[in-house]
Amino acid sequence: MQMKTNAGSLADALGIVGGLVQRRGNIPILGAVKLENGTLSVLGGVGMRADIALPTVGKTRGAAAIDCHSLAGLARHIPRDEVVEITDDSSLAVIKFNGSEYQLPSYAASDFPSDMEKVEGDRSAMDNAGFAAALKRVMFAASTEEMRYYLNGVATINLDGEPLVVATDGHRLAYLSIPFMPNGAEGAILPYEAVAFLAKRKHEPKASVYSPDERRARFEYDGLVFTTHCIKGTYPDVARVIPKLPVPYARLGRLDAIAALRRLSSLDQFGGNPVVLSGSDDRLTMVRGVGDSCGREAIPCVTPQLGNFRVGFNGRYLIEVLSALRGDAVTFAASPDDGGIGSSPSVITADDDPLRIVLMPMRI
Amino acid sequence: MQMKTNAGSLADALGIVGGLVQRRGNIPILGAVKLENGTLSVLGGVGMRADIALPTVGKTRGAAAIDCHSLAGLARHIPRDEVVEITDDSSLAVIKFNGSEYQLPSYAASDFPSDMEKVEGDRSAMDNAGFAAALKRVMFAASTEEMRYYLNGVATINLDGEPLVVATDGHRLAYLSIPFMPNGAEGAILPYEAVAFLAKRKHEPKASVYSPDERRARFEYDGLVFTTHCIKGTYPDVARVIPKLPVPYARLGRLDAIAALRRLSSLDQFGGNPVVLSGSDDRLTMVRGVGDSCGREAIPCVTPQLGNFRVGFNGRYLIEVLSALRGDAVTFAASPDDGGIGSSPSVITADDDPLRIVLMPMRI
């Protein structure tokens, strides 16, 4: 095997894929990067694959598989404009640049699994429609708990005919409209790691291919193809969780509320005790007690339609929800028929922000 | 107890001292901040004390001791220009600002230990002489190993009549001249944590008071007094370690060498295997092998007086040493009579930088 590329492109490509690749796994080839025909390929630990086109210099022939993290550690420190020559005789790769020479263990490139190379399905042009940006905004609400593995990602669903991306951990739920449902994407659940990879890219993917049968999705960028399995499972029926015709019960300043919640969090980093919100007389009082300590905050608040109220939330969730929204004024709303504000889910939104968040109250 | 101060000053003061104070110790008062007569005082976990003057508003009376980390967590999130009122009835402190109210546990201020309040000794005006800056430059070489506790800091010594600050861990030694020896400082060893505190300040101390009998040192800044114990122990005889009349054997580019060493470090983060430096024909070759991997780097190098050489160093130390120096050209020197370059300590210096570093070779 022989190829030449420039150090900057190699380091960038390895930087993009490095987070996907397992460290110190039991099967060395799964921790390797395959170089073949100017394409750099890696497998992600949890059913992902990335292929990146590298610029090559001169003739390229053969294939090699080299430990990804070793090569990335080296490439990161080579001056970006150096030409790097990689040769390989199937058990030892030699990397040369500007008088320096490194030998790294290599593996047979033919052992590199090929099963994620293709995805059979209809291609959708993504038209810069903000799909990855939408994933990025809702992903904070996904669960990380392995018991409910089908919540460990972001789903694409139709809600009353409206295509959405949605994430929830059972306590809070975030959803956002997308302009259209990519072919084959309805009901698909992208794993959190894949969402994180897509969210980190500077650009939107140019196209997607979802295969409902294979439970796979492929996202194509200029010079990068990212393939991931989708979570095998059925997403909960979101329509049952979202309150019908919620009525606004509080309207307040988002940044004021975040600052007050941060102060309340200093009592113990929100180890379980709820923040109790009470609204009356155009003021919102937030109270929290932890052991011998307690704090009381008051901020201006309009109580539009339902009058005085009292509701408890997990303070950490509340900070995350308010931080996920944009703009200053946020509105809390609930369905008054669901048993009172204190025991029914609240819908939290910000003016001019399409993101919708549903937050379950805590018992107080 | 009652005092009013402004939130920004309180947060800044707690930010300065927060790193010193133990978290979750067994004795609550040692984790407390004492507020008395506009002075905020804390005790550091390993024999340190800091006293900071706070601006007060209106009348101040009494004293209180409040958990430092709780108060710091709260103060950090209060808008800086708010006035904060603290009152205390000896078991509960109440903190009020702009309509918010917090209750935090408090302790009897009379239990706050007073034994580090004073240091008996001669005061030295520090005249902005760069004492703290000198500590900061040599501290990287101090040991963190508890077995040789007397190396866990920076010593002030006289070497052939020249006042120095010096740190070593037995493998490398860094020293730097200071314009004068503060009164009582000769032979004193400042603990690493105290050095780190002094190094972090933006300004030099205005004055110092060393007490050789009490083994204590006090550093006075505008509005801040920092007191520390000195390590009880005898510093090694540095004069025996520093090579006499070392002869330059290699002269090379500092940044070139750091870049090459970083690439060699990618093989395994320098887990023990030495970097072998060979100089000949105006080139320095650096070779390192780790398991099946190996790397070879070559950079330009002048071999001034002793001709070809071969010496092994710990690569991580070598990166740290070269990073601690300034400027581009560095010179390696050794005493040729000490058994050859490969088995005697090297003195590493940079042009126009007064910092001197001695590095022990590794067996190769």
Side-chain angles (χ1 to χ4, degrees):
Chain A
M1 184 271 184
Q2 182 171 24
M3 76 174 283
K4 284 185 192 167
T5 184
N6 88 308
S9 305
L10 182 64
D12 288 347
L14 290 164
I16 288 171
V17 302
L20 301 175
V21 179
Q22 279 190 316
R23 280 178 191 272
R24 298 164 199 273
N26 290 324
I27 306 170
I29 191 79
L30 298 183
V33 53
K34 186 177 79 160
L35 296 166
E36 185 170 20
N37 296 329
T39 299
L40 177 157
S41 304
V42 300
L43 295 173
V46 287
M48 297 184 286
R49 176 185 174 114
D51 300 277
I52 297 187
L54 285 178
T56 55
V57 182
K59 213 178 164 111
T60 298
R61 58 177 175 73
I66 305 170
D67 181 68
C68 182
H69 293 294
S70 300
L71 188 60
L74 177 60
R76 197 166 36 235
H77 295 298
I78 305 175
R80 291 184 63 84
D81 51 358
E82 296 286 349
V83 170
V84 177
E85 183 188 7
I86 303 178
T87 54
D88 171 75
D89 71 355
S90 93
S91 73
L92 199 68
V94 178
I95 295 109
K96 290 186 193 169
F97 49 92
N98 191 30
S100 304
E101 184 176 322
Y102 285 76
Q103 298 182 357
L104 298 177
S106 75
Y107 316 108
S110 55
D111 290 348
F112 194 84
S114 63
D115 75 334
M116 297 280 284
E117 256 172 29
K118 294 202 179 80
V119 174
E120 303 290 346
D122 291 334
R123 170 172 278 93
S124 303
M126 297 300 272
D127 292 335
N128 217 17
F131 182 75
L135 293 175
K136 187 175 183 172
R137 294 207 65 197
V138 301
M139 62 190 279
F140 77 95
S143 173
T144 52
E145 217 182 87
E146 285 182 26
M147 280 289 283
R148 297 169 80 184
Y149 61 90
Y150 49 90
L151 300 182
N152 298 165
V154 176
T156 32
I157 61 165
N158 271 312
L159 182 71
D160 303 331
E162 188 187 1
L164 302 176
V165 291
V166 59
T168 182
D169 64 359
H171 304 290
R172 66 238 170 119
L173 180 147
Y175 64 102
L176 189 57
S177 282
I178 47 176
F180 60 89
M181 180 65 70
N183 289 321
E186 189 171 351
I189 310 169
L190 292 174
Y192 191 87
E193 295 82 356
V195 173
F197 185 88
L198 295 169
K200 230 186 280 172
R201 306 280 67 79
K202 277 189 206 123
H203 302 288
E204 289 285 324
K206 299 265 174 182
S208 70
V209 183
Y210 277 83
S211 165
D213 298 340
E214 297 175 298
R215 291 191 187 269
R216 275 188 196 165
R218 169 184 167 109
F219 297 91
E220 298 172 358
Y221 298 78
D222 282 337
L224 164 67
V225 174
F226 175 69
T227 310
T228 178
H229 85 289
C230 296
I231 293 174
K232 198 172 170 179
T234 306
Y235 210 71
D237 182 2
V238 169
R240 284 180 38 193
V241 179
I242 299 173
K244 306 277 173 264
L245 304 171
V247 179
Y249 68 84
R251 200 173 146 73
L252 47 98
R254 189 174 70 90
L255 300 177
D256 280 357
I258 291 175
L261 286 162
R262 291 226 168 97
R263 291 192 290 269
L264 290 170
S265 85
S266 72
L267 295 177
D268 75 337
Q269 314 303 328
F270 288 125
N273 303 54
V275 178
V276 178
L277 280 61
S278 312
S280 63
D281 303 330
D282 290 342
R283 284 175 80 75
L284 177 72
T285 310
M286 298 192 259
V287 175
R288 191 151 172 275
V290 178
D292 298 337
S293 307
C294 82
R296 199 186 72 222
E297 294 280 350
I299 60 172
C301 168
V302 180
T303 54
Q305 294 182 40
L306 300 176
N308 296 354
F309 65 89
R310 192 156 174 274
V311 56
F313 290 115
N314 175 305
R316 186 168 57 80
Y317 282 174
L318 205 49
I319 287 184
E320 288 180 9
V321 163
L322 295 176
S323 302
L325 290 165
R326 291 173 184 165
D328 194 35
V330 290
T331 302
F332 287 59
S335 297
D337 305 335
D338 281 358
I341 291 167
S343 56
S344 61
S346 287
V347 181
I348 306 175
T349 53
D351 294 1
D352 302 321
D353 185 350
L355 182 65
R356 297 281 172 275
I357 300 173
V358 180
L359 185 61
M360 295 301 293
M362 281 176 82
R363 194 186 298 267
I364 49 175
Chain B
M1 183 270 185
Q2 182 171 23
M3 76 173 283
K4 284 187 192 166
T5 184
N6 88 309
S9 304
L10 182 63
D12 289 347
L14 290 164
I16 288 171
V17 301
L20 300 177
V21 178
Q22 277 190 318
R23 280 179 190 271
R24 298 164 200 274
N26 291 324
I27 306 169
I29 192 79
L30 298 183
V33 52
K34 186 177 78 159
L35 296 166
E36 185 170 20
N37 296 329
T39 299
L40 179 157
S41 305
V42 301
L43 296 172
V46 286
M48 298 184 286
R49 177 186 174 114
D51 300 279
I52 298 187
L54 285 178
T56 56
V57 182
K59 210 175 165 113
T60 297
R61 57 176 176 73
I66 305 170
D67 181 68
C68 182
H69 293 294
S70 300
L71 189 61
L74 177 59
R76 194 163 42 232
H77 295 298
I78 305 175
R80 292 184 63 84
D81 50 359
E82 296 285 351
V83 170
V84 177
E85 183 189 7
I86 303 177
T87 54
D88 171 76
D89 71 354
S90 92
S91 72
L92 199 67
V94 178
I95 295 110
K96 290 186 194 170
F97 50 92
N98 190 30
S100 304
E101 183 176 323
Y102 284 76
Q103 297 181 356
L104 297 177
S106 76
Y107 316 108
S110 56
D111 289 348
F112 193 85
S114 63
D115 75 333
M116 298 279 284
E117 255 172 31
K118 294 203 179 79
V119 174
E120 304 290 346
D122 291 334
R123 170 172 277 93
S124 304
M126 297 300 273
D127 292 334
N128 218 16
F131 182 74
L135 293 175
K136 188 175 182 173
R137 293 206 66 197
V138 301
M139 63 190 281
F140 77 96
S143 174
T144 53
E145 217 182 87
E146 284 182 27
M147 280 288 283
R148 298 169 78 184
Y149 61 90
Y150 50 89
L151 300 183
N152 298 167
V154 176
T156 30
I157 61 165
N158 271 312
L159 182 71
D160 303 331
E162 188 187 2
L164 301 177
V165 291
V166 60
T168 182
D169 64 359
H171 305 291
R172 66 240 169 117
L173 180 147
Y175 63 102
L176 188 57
S177 282
I178 47 176
F180 59 89
M181 179 66 70
N183 290 322
E186 187 170 351
I189 309 169
L190 293 173
Y192 191 87
E193 296 82 356
V195 173
F197 184 89
L198 296 170
K200 231 186 280 172
R201 307 279 67 79
K202 277 189 205 120
H203 303 286
E204 290 285 325
K206 299 264 174 183
S208 70
V209 182
Y210 277 82
S211 164
D213 298 339
E214 297 175 298
R215 291 191 187 268
R216 275 188 196 165
R218 169 184 167 111
F219 297 91
E220 299 172 359
Y221 298 78
D222 281 338
L224 163 67
V225 174
F226 175 69
T227 311
T228 178
H229 85 289
C230 297
I231 294 174
K232 199 173 168 178
T234 306
Y235 210 71
D237 182 2
V238 168
R240 283 180 37 194
V241 179
I242 298 172
K244 305 278 173 265
L245 303 172
V247 179
Y249 68 85
R251 201 173 145 74
L252 47 99
R254 189 174 70 90
L255 300 177
D256 281 356
I258 291 175
L261 287 162
R262 291 226 168 97
R263 292 192 289 269
L264 290 171
S265 85
S266 72
L267 295 176
D268 76 337
Q269 314 303 329
F270 288 125
N273 303 54
V275 179
V276 179
L277 280 62
S278 311
S280 62
D281 302 330
D282 290 343
R283 283 174 81 74
L284 177 72
T285 310
M286 297 192 259
V287 176
R288 192 150 171 276
V290 179
D292 297 337
S293 308
C294 81
R296 200 186 72 222
E297 294 280 350
I299 59 173
C301 168
V302 181
T303 53
Q305 293 182 39
L306 299 176
N308 296 354
F309 64 89
R310 193 157 174 275
V311 55
F313 290 115
N314 176 304
R316 186 167 59 78
Y317 283 173
L318 204 48
I319 287 184
E320 287 180 9
V321 162
L322 294 176
S323 302
L325 291 165
R326 290 174 184 164
D328 194 36
V330 289
T331 302
F332 287 61
S335 298
D337 304 335
D338 281 359
I341 291 166
S343 55
S344 61
S346 286
V347 180
I348 306 175
T349 53
D351 294 0
D352 302 322
D353 184 350
L355 182 65
R356 297 280 173 274
I357 300 172
V358 180
L359 184 62
M360 295 302 293
M362 281 176 81
R363 194 186 299 266
I364 49 175

